[in-house]
Amino acid sequence: MRAFITLAKPVDMSGGFSDFFKTIGMTGGGLVTKGIAAVIAIIALRMLLSLSHDPKGALRKGSMALGTLFVAVILALYGSELFSTVTSAKS
């Protein structure tokens, strides 16, 4: 007879969203940071898609869009660490 393997332990989610965010390891501030990064990334992709036909203008707008996309990626990866010092200040 085969033995069943437990892949995950049961988790009580009766607390609602706070329990869910604890299980994925994200706080409310981290979720807001990821949301802001996603909005900035969408703006950067929109900037990339609306490049002009003028080579100089396209190069300038393209480099600005890539810089904006870079900021969005850095914010998504390290935003919680960057802003944790602001929220946990002690007086």
Side-chain angles (χ1 to χ4, degrees), residues 32-52:
V32 169
T33 305
K34 300 278 191 227
I36 291 170
V39 169
I40 292 173
I42 290 172
I43 291 170
L45 289 176
R46 176 71 176 116
M47 288 169 64
L48 277 173
L49 292 176
S50 67
L51 293 178
S52 64

Side-chain angles (χ1 to χ4, degrees), residues 10-34:
V11 177
D12 180 25
M13 292 283 187
S14 61
F17 283 114
S18 62
D19 287 337
F20 172 70
F21 291 132
K22 285 179 188 173
T23 59
I24 62 173
M26 186 176 292
T27 62
L31 186 65
V32 169
T33 305
K34 300 278 191 227

